[in-house]
Amino acid sequence: MIGILIFPDFQLLDAAGPISVFEIAGRFAGAPSSIKVLAETPGPVRSSSGVEMLARSLRASAALSTLVIAGGDGVRAAARSERILAFVRAAAKRGVRIASVCSGAYILAEAGLLDGRRATTHWGRTRHFLSAYPKVKLEPDKIFVRDGEIWSSAGISAGIDLALALMAEDFGEDVSRQTARQLVLYDRRSGGQSQFSSLLELKASTRRFGPLLTWAREHLDEPLTVEHLAERAGMSTRHFTRAFIAETGSTPSKAVERLRLEVARQQVQSSTEAIERVAETAGFRDPERMRRAFIRAFGQPPQSLRRAARTG
């Protein structure tokens, strides 16, 4: 049985998106999924849009195999509910596979299930989440993250990507692909794990380093070491690194790699330029280094992204 945990002012798509994936995947697999919407207080639960879902009591979860936790405006209040936290902890203790969508990661973090684990959440909550839960290994540029039996996904629609991955684990890649086609979606989202423009995301989180980031994107073919960036910012390397992480939620070297990946991905997908030349202009220098970075970020090498773009 799959449980979808909601609360007042939850984000409707956080629940409805995965539910649709589970329904269609079960149909293709010939094993219809038993899906139950759960809430601390059973009955109609109002989403942030005003649309309600009918939920059962948390006690209706004895046979639960997977629990998906929605996010939304009401997540802070839900994360303070001892009953909800106890329910989530008990499910994890029983070996239930647990996943969060968007800011639902706050409930997992409050329950202590993310301590020492890799996780992600909505980009807009990155800085607060990092400061509130320093024990969590947050990966803000991922669409979804799996660490053991604990899964987490980024903002809203990423819950659908996560649900497809869950169904691939349960029923195989063929069923996941059929489900994605039925929903008119990519089975693996083109562009991989980046939620949107790295430059826009980083600049949105900082005014202090915005001009520096713009300059860095225009000089990707230069070394752009931490020392180089710190000097341009007029700061010591140590102070610059600490201030940059506090402002953006990312290390300077990781931010530069994200900018390089974004530029390289655009060139790979939209041009016929040689991969070696793309690696050079994006600042990777070595094509093999760029290939490894693509696999880490997007789950596939540059050549595969290029083929997918041409086929699409």
Side-chain angles (χ1 to χ4, degrees):
M1 185 181 84
I2 299 174
I4 311 292
L5 179 62
I6 62 173
F7 42 82
D9 287 328
F10 71 99
Q11 168 56 241
L12 187 62
L13 188 60
D14 286 3
I19 286 172
S20 293
V21 171
F22 300 147
E23 174 216 344
I24 294 169
R27 190 189 313 155
F28 280 125
S33 300
S34 174
I35 307 168
K36 289 183 171 59
V37 178
L38 307 170
E40 182 175 15
T41 303
V45 180
R46 184 183 176 90
S47 71
S48 56
S49 69
V51 175
E52 296 178 335
M53 272 191 171
L54 190 61
R56 298 187 178 210
S57 164
L58 298 179
R59 290 192 295 271
S61 60
L64 206 62
S65 61
T66 299
L67 175 65
V68 176
I69 303 171
D73 294 342
V75 73
R76 298 282 181 86
R80 290 194 296 268
S81 167
E82 284 302 324
R83 190 177 174 199
I84 287 178
L85 297 180
F87 168 74
V88 173
R89 292 187 191 111
K93 192 173 182 179
R94 295 200 310 271
V96 173
R97 181 176 58 181
I98 301 179
S100 64
V101 179
C102 192
S103 56
Y106 275 81
I107 293 176
L108 291 181
E110 281 293 334
L113 299 185
L114 295 183
D115 288 355
R117 291 183 183 269
R118 297 164 48 246
T120 193
T121 189
H122 191 282
W123 66 268
R125 299 182 185 257
T126 295
R127 280 193 295 170
H128 180 268
F129 197 95
L130 281 167
S131 63
Y133 307 108
K135 294 181 181 179
V136 181
K137 299 175 182 177
L138 193 70
E139 299 189 2
D141 57 342
K142 299 290 188 181
I143 285 182
F144 67 85
V145 171
R146 178 185 185 179
D147 192 322
E149 289 302 292
I150 306 296
W151 302 58
S152 54
S153 67
I156 308 177
S157 66
I160 296 175
D161 297 86
L162 180 146
L164 285 168
L166 293 174
M167 293 300 93
E169 180 174 71
D170 289 351
F171 300 127
E173 292 290 344
D174 285 345
V175 167
S176 176
R177 280 191 289 269
Q178 289 178 67
T179 303
R181 284 197 295 267
Q182 180 69 19
L183 291 167
V184 196
L185 297 168
Y186 286 107
D187 182 42
R188 292 291 182 268
R189 194 186 300 198
S190 179
Q193 308 302 320
S194 295
Q195 294 179 53
F196 56 92
S197 168
S198 297
L199 180 61
L200 289 178
E201 178 185 348
L202 290 164
K203 286 182 70 176
S205 64
T206 177
R207 293 182 179 178
R208 186 177 187 181
F209 298 115
L212 177 66
L213 290 166
T214 299
W215 176 86
R217 196 180 190 279
E218 295 169 352
H219 295 80
L220 291 177
D221 57 342
E222 297 182 17
L224 297 184
T225 62
V226 175
E227 292 77 14
H228 190 184
L229 294 172
E231 181 181 356
R232 185 162 185 89
M235 302 166 69
S236 71
T237 301
R238 183 179 179 184
H239 180 51
F240 169 72
T241 300
R242 293 180 65 179
F244 192 91
I245 292 172
E247 285 280 335
T248 69
S250 172
T251 65
S253 58
K254 184 66 175 177
V256 168
E257 181 175 275
R258 288 169 64 188
L259 294 175
R260 285 185 167 136
L261 280 166
E262 179 183 322
V263 168
R265 184 188 67 202
Q266 290 171 349
Q267 291 178 350
V268 163
Q269 292 179 317
S270 63
S271 78
T272 58
E273 199 167 20
I275 297 297
E276 292 77 9
R277 177 59 180 162
V278 173
E280 183 180 346
T281 58
F284 285 104
R285 308 292 181 185
D286 179 6
E288 176 58 24
R289 180 183 170 193
M290 185 175 82
R291 189 187 73 84
R292 291 195 299 267
F294 266 59
I295 291 173
R296 283 196 305 271
F298 309 136
Q300 51 189 316
Q303 293 86 346
S304 296
L305 279 179
R306 174 165 282 176
R307 284 194 297 270
R310 288 174 178 174
T311 302

